[in-house]
């Protein structure tokens, strides 16, 4: 799950940037992607991120 989720963003980076009309990921995008993936993996394990 972790590999496939992160690989998606790496493999389809060009397509995702075209869809979002960006030339590259911004720091905000990276933070949002990271938070989403962490929350998804943790919730799959029955855990939550209490740092936010």
């Amino acid at each position: 799950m972790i590999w496939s989720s992160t690989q998606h963003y790496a493999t389809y980076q060009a397509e995702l940037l075209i869809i979002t009309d960006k030339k590259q990921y911004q720091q905000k995008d990276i933070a949002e992607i990271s938070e989403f993936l962490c929350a998804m993996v943790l919730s799959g394990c029955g855990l939550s991120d209490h740092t936010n």
Side-chain angles (χ1 to χ4, degrees):
M1 176 69 175
I2 295 169
W3 176 84
S4 63
S5 298
T6 56
Q7 188 62 30
H8 163 77
Y9 288 97
T11 301
Y12 296 105
Q13 178 178 355
E15 289 87 346
L16 292 167
L17 291 173
I18 289 169
I19 289 170
T20 57
D21 195 29
K22 297 179 180 182
K23 295 198 183 286
Q24 63 184 14
Y25 290 129
Q26 303 299 314
Q27 197 61 34
K28 178 183 174 191
D29 301 321
I30 295 168
E32 288 175 357
I33 292 166
S34 298
E35 289 174 21
F36 169 74
L37 292 176
C38 286
M40 185 172 60
V41 170
L42 288 172
S43 69
C45 296
L47 304 169
S48 62
D49 179 6
H50 293 291
T51 61
N52 293 329

